[in-house]
């Protein structure tokens, strides 16, 4: 295909050492009208400092309410190739592992029906196919689904769950993030494909508190691996770190948030009872330190980006839960959480916002989780309390107070 | 040609089929890992098996041609196995040490950038921008390219006190982890969008438009069969434009970019943190946004110079204090008006529940909710509140 547009501003972004998205768009433009006109419209955006896309209507595949994002150019006469420029979300495999055979298969289908441009990956985790026309959607879905690939979530629905690399390639994984993500994605297929929620609901699973998948900041339900036992210490390896120049007192002991580590130049000691399992020492001395004992997950709820009432980080709801197949307890808890949210939210309210409106108490009581000091930053700092009669009956009249 | 039979609700393919044999064998039995250079690490299993990972930068937008080229390389050196990271890097998984050097050599030869491991700048998590998003106030990919060209050596070789996570969002909806990143760029619309009343009545569903507004600034305008916007309440999020293209949110003259700093998601040493406002506004300067790029580099290098080993940007700032941060970076501290958003249904501040969460009766609504985020801000207006104050 011929070069259709002069792109002097975008050409500037082919210079410099970092890989260029413009080069990628130009490669795709050699084969696709969509990519070619996309390039032309982008050059215009760079020239005029504004976008020219419209969010669009209801597009999708039969029987699904999500997985395709409708996008139209607001300049279809000028850039007919992108009159339609819909995005198709393909549900990625857990941990973003692929074989080259699978990737080639994905590419071959996409070249046939779309722009040849992708995002590996989108923000939620999906493999994003960037730019196709409405009339191609059914064919795209048939080609992918018959080969074992399903669409991801979009709109007011369960969004495609995602996870860190977990036990596949990380010594810190306390839970099988890949299996949990696969299992939960299968569990919520209906909720994922047919938007029936008040708003989006995201699940992310991280193997430890390092949280490489930003579960605590980017998921309505954050599952983060933790452990209950001691941190096992290999003193020889501690010495090796010291020999290699690590200042153990400055870098490890003094940076421990609970000050539960000591080091006398020979032996490293950890008071496990006071450890908050933050992962600092383990991450910095991975050869010397490793968690032992019972492994499981902390369940947190509510994080989101700023719209509507401001950003939220997830709150701890369940400090420790066993997370082993078939995940019966975990699944039941998630269903209960979603049920409460669905009952109480107005359209476009995320669960974190509804908890702020309705109160943590009503949420916890509904899902059957007792109050626990691990859930709070600190207790309330004023004595303005609305006492309920049941509180006297259940707690204060029992004789202890 | 007849299409194959479609299937629904099958979910993603099971990940196990994509795991290399060495991972299957040592699944959950890894002992430790070591960083070998800026972009290579080795994981050692309890069995003694070793798996090398070579991490390569990606512009995230990839053409099928490039994916095939990457696949060819993975076929040659990785038995056809590879993965992608949560920050959009490509990871080549090598189980035979003999393949490691030839792989690195071929990658360099073909112009790939190896890096992003350890205490460095990794790839920038970002949104679609002008490439594909309807609400974008800037282009994300262009901004990322311009910044990473400048910070290139912090990805490949140069070490920092700790890892530094950058993110770019092309509007306040923030489809990336911008709200908890070390250095975060968020694009802003800054003016109340004008309404094309003729079109609005014809192409937009009025109740949906009214409901789309998070600050309830939109109300019906029956006389014109359209809507009106309360300028005092509008915070230019663009949600109305999403459902009604007749409300034009784009404004090339006044759309721009804010820089926020000090967020993180990991719980190491200190709790996860939100990013906080450092510079409220830059004008869009495509194709390379030189002022934004310089400001990001300045913040990064000031941090690199002054922070203690292992301190993240936010931890460093909290130790030295915000006053010192503004002094060291030379960033001018300006007035911004913070838009406080209080959901009309939210009565947290006069809660009838003995809440366990932090709350105060005296603060602003946002703070009363235990919500200590920056909220939204209007630039270049008289101050009612100085931010950041946390």
């Amino acid at each position: 295909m011929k070069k259709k547009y002069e792109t002097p501003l975008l050409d500037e972004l082919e210079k410099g050492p970092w890989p260029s998205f413009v080069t990628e768009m130009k490669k795709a433009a050699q084969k696709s009208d969509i990519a070619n006109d996309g390039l032309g419209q982008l050059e215009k955006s760079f020239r005029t400092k504004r976008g020219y896309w419209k969010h669009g209507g209801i597009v999708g595949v039969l029987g699904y309410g999500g997985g395709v994002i409708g996008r139209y150019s607001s300049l279809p006469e000028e850039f007919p190739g992108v009159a339609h420029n819909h995005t198709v979300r393909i549900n990625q495999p857990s941990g973003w592992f692929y074989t080259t055979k699978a990737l080639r298969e994905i590419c071959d289908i996409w070249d046939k029906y779309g722009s040849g441009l992708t995002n590996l990956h989108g923000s939620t985790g999906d493999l994003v196919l960037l730019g196709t026309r409405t009339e191609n959607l059914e064919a795209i879905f048939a080609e992918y689904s018959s080969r074992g690939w399903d669409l991801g979530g979009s709109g007011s629905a369960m969004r495609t769950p995602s996870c860190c690399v977990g036990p596949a390639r990380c010594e810190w994984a306390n839970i099988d993030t890949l299996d949990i993500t696969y299992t939960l994605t299968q569990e919520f297929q209906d909720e994922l494909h047919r938007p029936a929620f008040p708003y989006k609901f995201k699940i992310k699973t991280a193997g430890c508190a390092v949280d490489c998948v930003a579960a605590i900041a980017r998921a309505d339900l954050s599952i983060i691996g933790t452990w209950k036992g001691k941190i096992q210490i290999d003193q020889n390896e501690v010495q090796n770190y010291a020999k290699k120049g690590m200042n153990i007192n400055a870098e490890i002991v003094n940076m421990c948030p609970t000050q539960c580590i000591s080091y006398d130049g020979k032996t490293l000691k950890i008071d496990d009872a006071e450890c908050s399992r933050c992962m600092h020492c383990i991450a910095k001395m991975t050869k010397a330190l490793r968690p032992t004992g019972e492994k499981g997950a902390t369940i947190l709820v509510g994080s989101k980006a700023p719209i509507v009432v401001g950003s939220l980080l997830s709150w701890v709801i369940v400090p420790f839960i066993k997370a082993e197949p078939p995940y019966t307890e975990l699944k039941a808890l998630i269903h209960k959480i979603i049920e409460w949210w669905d009952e109480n939210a107005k359209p476009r309210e995320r669960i974190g916002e509804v908890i702020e409106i309705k109160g943590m108490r009503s949420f916890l009581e509904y899902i059957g989780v007792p109050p626990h000091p691990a859930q709070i930053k600190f207790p309330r700092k004023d004595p303005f309390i609305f006492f309920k009669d049941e509180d006297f009956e259940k707690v204060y009249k029992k004789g202890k107070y | 040609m007849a299409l194959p039979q479609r299937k629904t609700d099958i979910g993603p393919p099971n990940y196990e089929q994509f795991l290399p044999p060495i991972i299957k064998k040592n699944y959950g039995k890894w002992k430790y890992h070591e960083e070998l250079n800026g972009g290579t690490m080795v994981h050692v299993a309890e069995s003694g098996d070793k798996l090398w990972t070579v991490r390569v930068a990606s512009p995230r937008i990839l053409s099928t041609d490039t994916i095939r080229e990457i696949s060819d390389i993975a076929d040659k050196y990785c038995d056809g196995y590879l993965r992608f990271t949560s920050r959009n890097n490509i990871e080549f998984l090598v189980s035979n040490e003999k393949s490691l050097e030839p792989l690195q050599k071929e990658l360099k030869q073909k112009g790939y950038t190896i890096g992003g491991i350890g205490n460095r700048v990794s790839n920038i998590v970002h949104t679609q921008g002008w490439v594909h998003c309807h609400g974008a106030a800037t282009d994300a990919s262009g901004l990322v390219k311009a910044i990473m060209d400048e910070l290139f050596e912090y990805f490949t070789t140069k070490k920092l006190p700790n890892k530094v996570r950058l993110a770019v969002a092309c509007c306040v909806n923030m489809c990336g982890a911008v709200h908890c990143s070390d250095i975060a760029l968020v694009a802003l619309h800054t003016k109340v969008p004008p309404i094309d009343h003729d079109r609005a009545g014809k192409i937009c569903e009025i109740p949906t438009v009214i409901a789309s507004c998070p600050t309830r600034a939109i109300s019906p305008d029956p006389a014109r069969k359209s809507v009106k916007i309360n300028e005092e309440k509008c915070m230019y999020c663009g949600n109305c434009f999403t459902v009604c293209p007749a409300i034009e949110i784009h404004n090339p003259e006044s759309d721009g970019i804010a820089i926020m700093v000090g967020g993180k998601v990991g719980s190491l040493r200190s709790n996860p943190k939100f990013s906080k406002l450092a510079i409220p506004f830059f004008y869009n300067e495509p194709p390379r946004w030189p002022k934004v790029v310089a400001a990001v580099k300045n913040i990064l290098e000031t941090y690199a110079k002054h922070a203690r080993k292992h301190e993240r940007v936010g931890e460093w700032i909290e130790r030295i204090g915000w006053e010192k941060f503004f002094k060291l970076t030379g960033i001018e501290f300006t007035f911004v008006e913070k838009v406080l958003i209080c959901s009309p249904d939210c009565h947290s501040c006069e809660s009838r529940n003995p809440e366990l969460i932090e709350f105060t009766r005296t603060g602003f609504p946002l703070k009363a909710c235990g919500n200590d985020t920056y909220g939204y801000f209007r630039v270049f207006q008289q101050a009612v509140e100085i931010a950041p104050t946390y």
Side-chain angles (χ1 to χ4, degrees):
Chain A
M1 202 166 289
K2 264 205 337 255
K3 184 174 166 182
K4 208 167 158 187
Y5 301 94
E6 291 301 323
T7 53
L9 291 172
L10 292 176
D11 294 350
E12 281 298 312
L13 291 173
E14 289 200 281
K15 298 171 187 165
W18 189 252
S20 169
F21 71 102
V22 176
T23 306
E24 295 302 309
M25 292 182 76
K26 285 185 177 175
K27 277 189 193 175
Q30 286 171 12
K31 295 190 229 169
S32 158
D33 267 336
I34 304 175
N36 216 337
D37 279 13
L39 201 60
Q41 183 174 313
L42 186 63
E43 176 71 15
K44 179 161 180 153
S45 284
F46 269 65
R47 202 166 59 239
T48 57
K49 301 187 197 178
R50 55 155 298 172
Y52 294 99
W53 300 109
K54 285 191 292 186
H55 189 62
I58 297 167
V59 287
V61 301
L62 201 65
Y64 279 11
V68 180
I69 320 298
R71 185 75 73 236
Y72 301 89
S73 172
S74 58
L75 306 167
E77 279 91 30
E78 199 175 341
F79 302 103
V82 286
H84 296 196
N85 192 27
H86 309 320
T87 296
V88 181
R89 290 184 182 162
I90 301 285
N91 195 327
Q92 83 287 3
S94 290
W96 299 289
F97 282 94
Y98 293 92
T99 56
T100 51
K101 185 170 168 274
L103 284 178
R104 286 201 180 89
E105 186 175 84
I106 288 165
C107 290
D108 292 345
I109 302 171
W110 186 230
D111 277 344
K112 203 163 143 193
Y113 297 101
S115 67
L117 283 172
T118 70
N119 279 160
L120 290 163
H121 290 83
S123 277
T124 305
D126 297 282
L127 191 162
V128 176
L129 304 173
L130 215 58
T132 189
R133 297 186 58 82
T134 307
E135 58 270 23
N136 291 338
L137 293 171
E138 278 301 330
I140 290 170
F141 182 58
E143 297 267 19
Y144 281 108
S145 67
S146 64
R147 289 171 176 83
W149 300 94
D150 205 343
L151 300 189
S154 69
S156 295
M158 175 67 76
R159 295 300 185 82
T160 312
S162 72
C163 63
C164 69
V165 71
R169 199 206 51 201
C170 184
E171 65 270 26
W172 301 331
N174 292 296
I175 48 176
D176 190 342
T177 56
L178 285 78
D179 192 45
I180 290 170
T181 298
Y182 178 74
T183 308
L184 292 179
T185 312
Q186 293 294 352
E187 174 79 10
F188 291 102
Q189 277 297 296
D190 190 35
E191 291 85 349
L192 197 149
H193 296 305
R194 295 168 196 88
F197 286 166
Y199 203 13
K200 60 183 100 171
F201 193 91
K202 298 186 177 185
I203 300 178
K204 290 194 196 297
T205 307
C208 76
V210 176
D211 198 356
C212 291
V213 74
I216 205 166
R218 302 180 70 182
D220 297 275
L221 185 94
S222 324
I223 303 170
I224 300 177
T226 187
W227 73 94
K228 278 188 164 175
K230 295 186 168 206
I231 296 174
Q232 181 187 302
I233 307 170
D234 182 334
Q235 298 292 353
N236 290 331
E237 289 295 347
V238 172
Q239 286 310 312
N240 284 337
Y241 278 105
K243 274 179 213 153
K244 280 183 191 159
M246 181 183 273
N247 181 342
I248 291 174
N249 273 315
E251 295 180 42
I252 306 296
V253 176
N254 294 345
M255 289 197 140
C256 170
T258 61
Q259 300 289 301
C260 69
I261 309 177
S262 62
Y263 179 64
D264 60 5
K266 287 176 198 147
T267 312
L268 188 83
K269 282 185 192 157
I270 298 177
D271 181 355
D272 290 281
E274 293 198 347
C275 168
S276 63
R277 298 170 305 281
C278 82
M279 288 297 295
H280 172 74
C281 60
I282 295 170
K284 303 306 168 199
M285 305 176 88
T286 185
K287 281 171 134 175
L289 306 176
R290 63 189 323 195
T292 65
E294 206 181 346
K295 306 280 176 77
T298 301
I299 307 297
L300 306 92
V301 165
S303 69
K304 53 178 275 296
I307 298 289
V308 178
V309 299
S311 316
L312 296 172
L313 282 155
S314 283
W315 293 280
V316 172
I317 300 299
V318 180
F320 189 89
I321 189 170
K322 280 299 240 186
E324 283 163 10
Y327 310 105
T328 315
E329 199 190 345
L330 182 63
K331 282 183 193 170
L333 179 71
I334 298 172
H335 278 289
K336 207 81 183 146
I337 287 170
I338 290 174
E339 204 174 272
W340 179 85
W341 171 58
D342 205 7
E343 284 289 308
N344 290 287
K346 293 202 170 66
R348 291 169 62 80
E349 278 175 354
R350 300 281 287 271
I351 190 167
E353 292 163 339
V354 183
I355 291 174
E356 289 206 328
I357 293 163
K358 300 280 175 189
M360 189 62 89
R361 178 175 187 158
S362 87
F363 172 66
L364 291 179
E365 282 180 343
Y366 185 89
I367 64 167
V369 170
H372 189 285
Q375 295 159 343
I376 59 166
K377 201 165 159 191
F378 47 80
R380 54 190 295 122
K381 56 202 172 202
D382 62 70
F384 308 148
I385 303 165
F386 285 93
F387 284 100
K388 288 185 177 179
D389 286 346
E390 59 175 274
D391 294 336
F392 290 100
E393 298 302 326
K394 278 186 189 162
V395 186
Y396 309 111
K397 278 188 179 173
K398 287 271 173 76
K400 196 174 166 189
Y401 300 94
Chain B
M1 199 178 65
L3 284 171
Q5 182 61 43
R6 78 207 290 272
K7 291 182 197 159
T8 61
D9 300 84
I10 55 171
N14 192 303
Y15 57 92
E16 280 179 47
Q17 60 190 291
F18 303 127
L19 301 178
I22 186 173
I23 283 185
K24 274 193 188 160
K25 185 184 161 200
N26 298 291
Y27 195 87
K29 293 176 201 150
W30 297 101
K31 202 173 168 193
Y32 65 87
H33 75 276
E34 273 180 310
E35 185 192 319
L36 301 177
N37 60 44
T40 310
M41 57 183 167
V42 60
H43 284 78
V44 181
E46 280 160 28
S47 65
D49 289 350
K50 288 182 176 180
L51 173 69
W52 289 266
T53 299
V54 180
R55 189 178 286 177
V56 162
S58 157
R60 188 173 81 131
I61 294 180
L62 293 178
S63 65
T64 47
D65 285 354
T66 299
I67 298 172
R68 287 193 187 94
E69 188 179 282
I70 294 163
S71 298
D72 289 343
I73 299 170
D75 279 343
K76 211 162 149 189
Y77 302 103
C78 311
D79 306 314
Y81 296 96
L82 71 164
R83 74 175 289 268
F84 296 82
T85 71
S86 56
R87 304 193 77 85
N88 310 315
N89 297 303
I90 304 154
E91 286 187 340
F92 292 94
L93 305 167
V94 182
S95 49
N96 182 353
E97 192 172 9
K98 283 183 188 153
S99 300
L100 189 62
E101 269 194 37
L103 167 66
Q104 290 168 329
K105 209 174 139 194
E106 180 163 344
L107 286 170
K108 278 177 197 159
Q109 227 166 38
K110 293 207 157 119
Y112 289 91
T113 301
I114 300 171
I117 291 177
N119 294 342
R120 294 186 171 81
V121 171
S122 186
N123 208 342
I124 301 182
V125 165
H126 65 101
T127 56
Q128 300 285 20
W130 291 333
V131 172
H132 202 263
C133 184
H134 62 286
T138 192
D139 183 52
S141 310
L143 202 47
V144 166
K145 164 75 174 148
I147 294 168
M148 287 311 289
D149 276 343
E150 190 65 30
L151 303 184
F152 190 71
E153 54 189 4
Y154 289 102
F155 181 86
T156 53
T157 49
K158 270 196 181 176
K159 281 211 163 194
L160 292 160
N162 201 334
K163 59 183 173 188
V164 175
R165 295 297 179 243
L166 277 74
V168 171
C170 51
C171 80
V172 294
N173 286 282
M174 288 194 193
C175 305
V178 167
H179 58 302
C180 296
S181 295
D182 293 278
I183 303 176
L185 290 89
V186 54
L188 308 171
H189 302 291
T190 61
K191 296 265 187 276
V192 177
I195 306 169
D196 181 343
H197 291 289
D198 286 346
R199 280 174 76 215
K202 288 185 193 109
I203 64 170
C204 306
E205 204 178 310
I206 301 299
T208 311
V209 181
I210 292 167
S212 74
C213 179
T215 58
R216 318 275 159 126
I218 301 179
S219 57
D221 186 347
R224 287 194 273 203
K225 292 185 176 150
S226 178
V227 293
K228 54 189 174 206
I229 300 176
N230 180 338
E231 302 206 352
E232 292 294 304
K233 285 186 177 173
C234 174
M235 49 99 173
Y236 347 113
C237 69
N239 283 12
C240 52
F241 173 74
T242 301
V243 296
C244 181
I247 303 177
E248 183 53 85
I249 191 68
H250 301 106
N251 187 332
E253 301 306 317
S254 59
D255 290 348
I257 292 158
I259 298 183
M260 317 196 56
V261 296
K264 74 180 187 97
V265 297
S267 296
L268 291 77
R269 301 169 302 281
S270 58
N271 284 335
K273 302 175 201 305
F274 291 116
S275 322
K276 281 115 188 167
L277 183 63
I279 306 176
F281 192 79
F282 286 96
Y283 286 101
N284 269 323
E285 288 185 296
R288 285 207 167 261
W289 289 268
K291 295 192 188 90
V292 178
V293 171
V296 169
K297 194 172 188 185
N298 172 41
I299 293 168
L300 181 80
E301 294 192 331
T302 309
Y303 155 78
K305 192 171 161 198
H306 294 277
R308 289 181 186 162
K309 199 171 178 187
H310 304 311
E311 270 181 339
R312 294 284 291 270
V313 172
E315 293 170 309
W316 164 63
I317 296 172
E318 282 179 9
R319 178 172 59 78
I320 63 169
W322 284 96
E323 183 186 351
K324 192 96 186 195
F325 166 79
F326 280 97
K327 195 177 170 194
L328 288 173
T329 53
I331 294 172
E332 185 188 359
F333 188 73
T334 53
F335 283 136
V336 289
E337 183 179 346
K338 181 171 170 181
V339 181
L340 289 174
I341 297 166
C342 189
S343 164
D345 303 315
C346 174
H347 300 286
S348 292
C349 44
E350 46 189 271
S351 173
R352 280 169 287 108
N353 294 316
E355 288 279 359
L356 289 169
I357 61 166
E358 172 191 358
F359 104 62
T360 159
R361 276 171 183 262
T362 53
F364 289 106
L366 266 175
K367 290 186 177 161
C369 297
N371 184 340
D372 60 354
T373 59
Y374 45 85
Y376 303 93
F377 37 84
R378 294 181 173 190
V379 292
F380 301 150
Q381 294 187 13
Q382 206 178 0
V384 295
E385 189 184 340
I386 291 170
T389 52
Y390 317 106

